[in-house]
Amino acid sequence: MILKKITRENITDLSDKQICIFEKSVAYLEELCVQYNVLEMVSFIVDTNERNIGEFVFRDRLLEVFRLDKLLSIDPQQTVIVITSDYYKEAYEKIIHILEAKRCDINVYYFANQETEYEEEYRIHYKRTELENIIVFRSGPHASSYVRGMDFADNARALFEYALQIGLNYTYELVWIVKNPEEYKRYDSVDNVSFVSFDWSVSEDQTERAAYYRVLCLAKYLFFTDAYGFARNCRKDQIRVQLWHGCGFKTRVNFVRCEKRYEYTTVISDLYADIHADIYGLRRDQVLVTGYAKEDWLFHPDGTDKQKLRLPQAEQYIFWLPTFRSTEQKLAQLNEYELESETGLPIVDTLYKLKRLDDILKQNDIVLIVKLHPFQNRDGIDCGKCSHIQLLENAELAEQDIPINRLLGMADALISDYSSAAVDYMLLDRPIAFMLEDVEEYKQSRGFVFDNIREWLPGKEIFTFEDLCTFVEEVANRCDITAEKRRGLRKRMHKYCDDHNCQRILEMVNILPRENS
């Protein structure tokens, strides 16, 4: 078998064949059909993602997605395989592995969408050009799931800010890949810092394309939080670091080996190094135990953030970060489930309970900040007219340019459920509570990285509204009843408890010299 690229010249070779599509991607399939009009030739699709298995309608046609073993039943004389994936080289290796026992000579093609076409062109152009002192930063999910503010946030942003703090921009050109570069004019006066748009990867403007692919093809280092597909075709001498966004409790929904997709990832302890090596399909030497860059923010809260967000004055602040359940329509594939609740919140599920909680908070001079997940559908959340309960959306933080971990640094206590934010917050050694009313359901649906999950939760367990009220009273009375458990777990879940994670990351990848310690 030889992997070939579909072109205008060889598309006729497919005209009398059935097509098996490798990997369900509606965007890729749409572009393939627009360019080559092959929909009627598509027989079925195979995919490694269990969530994609089954039927779906595309352009009024019902198509079925099967597991990879469906490849064993194809007729090599009548069928060709067309890969529609960013990672077409990896896909080809999987096809070879599956079909090697069959010893059949089947034709395998890959379809290069517009972005892949452009990248291949620029990769050839820069093939013999030496890499430059460029560091690329990117955060947030794939461009198709863009949420304002998430493209300049999280661990990538924390590392970038540290780089500026130590003057690394005088040694390296620091480049951010974001949605709208014009939103970052405030950095125009900073030497060697620039912003390019990920939309420029397919821009019709040659100047924009050239700017994007220059940094992508010539950067020595690429740091990203979450999405990494844009760096899929990097050279062997380029270093890609997946900073990820948290070491938490939830397991990964879909397993894809990432061993070849980036060189390193960062975690907070040896415990999580083993976990992430397993669930992300990495070699252990690819996992760097440094602590997360954004955890450094926890130790340096900004006193002006409360004023910027117009938070009510209070003696104490409790932050509640519920894990999202129902997303915006465009992100329907990420939905967990809908909550049946008057308020849209767990535990505090009626307006009566909401009013009662507000009264308790008011009596104790505590403000409860309910910070919604960036993907959360706001329409289903109702906090009524409460004086001491305030809803905080991602858009507000983006508007005021406030990272959530910097804000959490001012919290006197945290309420979470299964979010990695609780693991970060452990570093401050302050009270934590966990909403667990659906722990068994969540275990069966999404699942956890720990079998005995309740033993790994560093805080008070809340199953009922009365449990929540008790926790608020404990915070008010400075009663930290789970301190011993939390401190014991912190020793196992965190290797470092300081604000030097950014420094360690840059040292581990040899951007900074390593200190003797």
Side-chain angles (χ1 to χ4, degrees):
M1 291 184 289
I2 299 175
L3 181 62
K4 304 174 184 177
K5 177 180 175 180
I6 292 180
T7 64
R8 290 289 178 191
E9 289 70 30
N10 65 20
I11 188 64
T12 55
D13 296 343
L14 283 63
S15 59
D16 61 343
K17 305 285 187 179
Q18 291 182 331
I19 293 177
C20 163
I21 296 291
F22 192 102
E23 190 168 303
K24 176 189 174 184
S25 169
V26 174
Y28 258 96
L29 194 56
E30 179 66 34
E31 199 166 336
L32 172 64
C33 291
V34 167
Q35 193 163 338
Y36 294 115
N37 192 28
V38 296
L39 181 57
E40 293 304 315
M41 299 160 58
V42 175
S43 179
F44 59 90
I45 301 171
V46 295
D47 203 301
T48 58
N49 188 341
E50 284 294 322
R51 288 192 168 192
N52 288 336
I53 305 304
E55 298 177 338
F56 75 104
V57 177
F58 176 78
R59 286 191 172 191
D60 296 325
R61 182 173 171 198
L62 187 65
L63 294 175
E64 189 164 5
V65 184
F66 296 91
R67 294 177 179 84
L68 295 193
D69 56 8
K70 177 70 173 178
L71 292 177
L72 295 172
S73 65
I74 62 177
D75 182 348
Q77 303 303 316
Q78 301 295 323
T79 308
V80 297
I81 299 174
V82 175
I83 300 169
T84 53
S85 168
D86 288 341
Y87 291 94
Y88 60 87
K89 295 175 184 177
E90 284 186 24
Y92 181 59
E93 291 177 358
K94 292 177 182 177
I95 293 169
I96 292 176
H97 178 72
I98 291 172
L99 296 180
E100 62 182 354
K102 196 172 181 180
R103 299 183 181 278
C104 61
D105 188 19
I106 189 168
N107 291 317
V108 183
Y109 296 83
Y110 76 94
F111 169 66
N113 64 3
Q114 186 64 77
E115 183 174 358
T116 302
E117 288 277 10
Y118 282 138
E119 183 174 5
E120 287 180 345
E121 172 189 331
Y122 281 96
R123 288 287 178 189
I124 293 172
H125 175 73
Y126 286 114
K127 184 177 181 179
R128 302 188 184 282
T129 304
E130 287 189 14
L131 298 182
E132 299 180 9
N133 279 352
I134 300 172
I135 300 177
V136 166
F137 297 88
R138 182 168 178 173
S139 71
H142 191 275
S144 62
S145 300
Y146 168 74
V147 175
R148 184 168 180 257
M150 288 186 69
D151 58 339
F152 184 62
D154 218 286
N155 285 312
R157 176 173 176 178
L159 191 63
F160 166 73
E161 290 186 350
Y162 176 76
L164 288 182
Q165 179 186 327
I166 64 172
L168 197 61
N169 55 310
Y170 294 108
T171 305
Y172 288 86
E173 180 183 351
L174 309 183
V175 183
W176 265 94
I177 299 178
V178 295
K179 172 71 172 178
N180 300 309
E182 61 272 14
E183 293 181 2
Y184 303 95
K185 295 292 186 182
R186 60 187 181 276
Y187 288 98
D188 283 355
S189 61
V190 181
D191 291 339
N192 267 351
V193 171
S194 60
F195 289 75
V196 301
S197 173
F198 49 69
D199 289 337
W200 292 357
S201 64
V202 291
S203 174
E204 294 182 0
D205 185 319
Q206 187 173 354
T207 301
E208 291 179 343
R209 281 205 317 276
Y212 176 86
Y213 286 108
R214 181 186 79 86
V215 298
L216 183 63
C217 294
L218 296 181
K220 287 183 178 179
Y221 295 92
L222 299 95
F223 292 98
F224 36 83
T225 304
D226 202 347
Y228 47 81
F230 76 100
R232 59 191 176 275
N233 294 317
C234 282
R235 288 162 35 170
K236 292 182 178 180
D237 51 350
Q238 292 183 291
I239 304 299
R240 300 164 294 180
V241 184
Q242 169 63 284
L243 299 171
W244 202 227
H245 55 73
C247 285
F249 307 103
K250 297 176 288 187
T251 192
R252 190 172 187 181
V253 174
N254 180 48
F255 178 82
V256 177
R257 290 197 65 87
C258 294
E259 180 181 353
K260 297 180 180 179
R261 299 191 174 191
Y262 41 82
E263 281 62 55
Y264 301 107
T265 190
T266 56
V267 294
I268 62 175
S269 64
D270 291 317
L271 170 71
Y272 274 105
D274 292 336
I275 291 172
H276 280 221
D278 180 41
I279 65 177
Y280 295 105
L282 301 168
R283 302 186 315 276
R284 185 58 177 78
D285 63 286
Q286 290 181 272
V287 188
L288 309 179
V289 181
T290 58
Y292 277 139
K294 67 178 178 180
E295 290 176 340
D296 290 355
W297 277 329
L298 290 167
F299 298 93
H300 304 282
D302 188 330
T304 66
D305 288 343
K306 286 189 289 186
Q307 288 73 40
K308 291 178 182 177
L309 295 170
R310 299 179 181 178
L311 301 183
Q313 287 296 319
E315 178 69 22
Q316 291 179 287
Y317 294 86
I318 299 175
F319 276 71
W320 181 8
L321 276 61
T323 297
F324 77 90
R325 294 292 185 265
S326 175
T327 70
E328 300 292 347
Q329 186 63 35
K330 66 178 180 176
L331 299 174
Q333 75 274 16
L334 296 177
N335 285 351
E336 297 294 350
Y337 50 79
E338 295 275 3
L339 281 173
E340 294 183 5
S341 164
E342 286 182 5
T343 63
L345 298 170
I347 301 288
V348 191
D349 53 357
T350 68
L351 295 177
Y352 169 78
K353 291 178 182 177
L354 192 70
K355 176 63 168 61
R356 186 177 163 199
L357 177 61
D358 192 46
D359 289 341
I360 294 173
L361 291 164
K362 185 176 181 180
Q363 292 166 12
N364 289 285
D365 196 18
I366 296 176
V367 168
L368 176 66
I369 308 297
V370 183
K371 163 60 177 68
L372 297 182
H373 190 281
F375 288 154
Q376 179 70 50
N377 184 352
R378 168 67 177 82
D379 295 341
I381 309 296
D382 182 4
C383 282
K385 297 181 179 179
C386 298
S387 62
H388 283 63
I389 300 176
Q390 182 157 332
L391 199 63
L392 183 60
E393 297 184 61
N394 187 70
E396 297 175 73
L397 293 178
E399 185 68 30
Q400 296 298 329
D401 195 32
I402 299 173
I404 182 61
N405 264 29
R406 194 177 78 194
L407 195 60
L408 282 180
M410 57 161 270
D412 297 282
L414 177 70
I415 300 172
S416 182
D417 36 32
Y418 320 117
S419 171
S420 61
V423 180
D424 292 345
Y425 191 74
M426 290 172 69
L427 292 171
L428 296 180
D429 196 25
R430 298 172 191 170
I432 305 173
F434 293 88
M435 296 284 200
L436 301 179
E437 85 292 350
D438 64 347
V439 64
E440 290 304 319
E441 292 89 341
Y442 207 90
K443 182 178 180 180
Q444 296 302 318
S445 59
R446 178 68 179 265
F448 301 105
V449 295
F450 302 111
D451 292 333
N452 47 347
I453 182 61
R454 290 174 61 184
E455 295 181 15
W456 288 92
L457 299 177
K460 183 182 181 67
E461 296 183 349
I462 295 178
F463 289 96
T464 67
F465 179 70
E466 295 303 324
D467 292 340
L468 174 59
C469 295
T470 299
F471 178 69
V472 172
E473 296 282 1
E474 289 170 354
V475 173
N477 295 320
R478 316 286 179 176
C479 181
D480 190 359
I481 65 171
T482 57
E484 184 177 351
K485 180 182 182 183
R486 183 182 65 246
R487 289 164 187 165
L489 286 172
R490 186 175 67 169
K491 291 179 181 178
R492 302 175 68 181
M493 299 171 82
H494 287 275
K495 182 173 182 178
Y496 305 102
C497 297
D498 57 30
D499 61 347
H500 300 312
N501 296 340
C502 290
Q503 176 185 335
R504 277 187 286 270
I505 292 169
L506 295 180
E507 288 176 353
M508 288 291 281
V509 296
N510 297 316
I511 291 177
L512 293 180
R514 301 191 187 190
E515 291 187 357
N516 295 322
S517 58

